[in-house]
Amino acid sequence: MAVLGLSIGYSLTSTIGPPESGKASLNRWVLVIVIIGILIVGALFSLIYYSTAQVSSKTFSYSPPQDARGSYSSLSISNVDGLVTVVPWSQPTVLINGTVTAKGLGSSLSTVNLISSSSNGDIAFQALFPASAGFFLSQSYTANINVFVPSTIRFTTVQVSNVNGGVRIESLNSTIVKLTTVNGGVSVDCVYCLSMTAASTNGNIAATFAALIPEGSYNLTAPNANLNFTAPSSASFRLSASDLNGSIQILGFSGMFTTTQTSFNHTFGTDGASVNIKSVNGQITITGT
């Protein structure tokens, strides 16, 4: 019993003894560090919000002169970020206009260069942006470019290149067409196109043709996205389609079907135009109207 009493007494003495100053000091330091961390995170979020809230924009307009015949021959548009549209209108001249936008802390519209040239009916327009910079690479620039072309002329060549924006072409009349982008979609509607190349790495491609020229060549490539090819159901063409991880679907033509083959070759009608469609991870759809 004496031993038990000593044990209880020792336990009580240890419990009600003076506080350990080392632990209290450590707790205070932990609290200070947590508060400082919260303040730093709050300041960072405030800076990021303030940076993204900085937005300025301006419009632009350019009317390239006609050639000696009062017409145009070729059109070349180059962009980095933003949508490019080419549409017909009833006027006899070409008009290029749009909006440039700068976002982010320290961004400036004066660093965006719009370069235009025209010689003998060959039109070139290019938007050049500075490299991303600023706090956390927060500066960004976009240019939405609209091109209005006379509906009565046929271009020899139309080229549009983009990086982080889409390409949209309506009622195009051109012998040669080249459309490329990396992270945007491509939508093109051809009234007359003899040679067509459309490519996007990560964006969908939709191409519609009023007619396929017998000696024409039509090539669509989108490794990581879907492709839609639409032509008259009466058209004659040689199809070569490949899709490594997707499927190939035929609609609106005789013998409609879906195949999971990685490649498919078929002649519609009697030979005719060459159509090549390639994807890796997307869906390919060929539609007859």
Side-chain angles (χ1 to χ4, degrees):
M1 292 297 293
V3 174
L4 180 59
L6 288 173
S7 176
I8 294 173
Y10 176 78
S11 175
L12 291 173
T13 302
S14 299
T15 302
I16 63 175
E20 299 180 19
S21 60
K23 288 185 178 180
S25 176
L26 179 62
N27 290 337
R28 284 195 296 270
W29 276 110
V30 170
L31 180 60
V32 170
I33 292 172
V34 170
I35 293 174
I36 292 175
I38 292 173
L39 292 175
I40 291 175
V41 171
L44 290 176
F45 274 107
S46 297
L47 283 173
I48 293 173
Y49 173 79
Y50 179 74
S51 173
T52 56
Q54 301 298 295
V55 180
S56 57
S57 62
K58 68 176 181 180
T59 59
F60 61 88
S61 182
Y62 169 60
S63 297
Q66 298 169 318
D67 61 15
R69 299 175 294 110
S71 186
Y72 302 94
S73 179
S74 67
L75 174 68
S76 176
I77 306 294
S78 178
N79 197 10
V80 177
D81 198 332
L83 177 66
V84 177
T85 63
V86 180
V87 297
W89 69 340
S90 59
Q91 301 300 314
T93 57
V94 171
L95 173 65
I96 302 174
N97 64 20
T99 303
V100 176
T101 302
K103 297 180 180 180
L105 196 63
S107 62
S108 174
L109 291 170
S110 63
T111 60
V112 178
N113 293 320
L114 302 177
I115 302 173
S116 58
S117 65
S118 180
S119 176
N120 298 321
D122 296 326
I123 304 167
F125 186 87
Q126 185 177 18
L128 296 178
F129 300 156
S132 296
F135 184 74
F136 284 151
L137 303 178
S138 60
Q139 294 179 8
S140 65
Y141 300 87
T142 60
N144 291 322
I145 303 173
N146 308 308
V147 185
F148 301 90
V149 300
S151 59
T152 55
I153 69 169
R154 175 173 295 169
F155 288 96
T156 56
T157 304
V158 170
Q159 298 185 71
V160 179
S161 64
N162 209 339
V163 179
N164 295 315
V167 177
R168 181 169 62 87
I169 314 291
E170 295 181 8
S171 302
L172 184 60
N173 190 345
S174 178
T175 303
I176 299 173
V177 181
K178 297 180 180 179
L179 312 174
T180 61
T181 184
V182 178
N183 297 314
V186 176
S187 174
V188 56
D189 171 25
C190 268
V191 173
Y192 174 92
C193 296
L194 177 63
S195 175
M196 152 73 73
T197 299
S200 177
T201 303
N202 299 309
N204 296 331
I205 295 179
T208 301
F209 301 89
L212 298 181
I213 313 305
E215 63 273 21
S217 176
Y218 308 91
N219 307 283
L220 311 180
T221 305
N224 300 312
N226 300 325
L227 298 108
N228 291 276
F229 177 90
T230 302
S233 57
S234 59
S236 294
F237 61 97
R238 290 170 283 110
L239 172 66
S240 175
S242 63
D243 196 343
L244 185 60
N245 298 314
S247 62
I248 302 169
Q249 187 175 32
I250 311 295
L251 302 171
F253 293 93
S254 59
M256 295 182 294
F257 61 89
T258 298
T259 177
T260 56
Q261 298 179 43
T262 57
S263 63
F264 177 74
N265 299 296
H266 185 75
T267 298
F268 294 83
T270 56
D271 202 15
S274 172
V275 176
N276 301 285
I277 305 177
K278 296 181 180 180
S279 182
V280 177
N281 300 309
Q283 165 87 25
I284 293 177
T285 303
I286 295 96
T287 304
T289 57

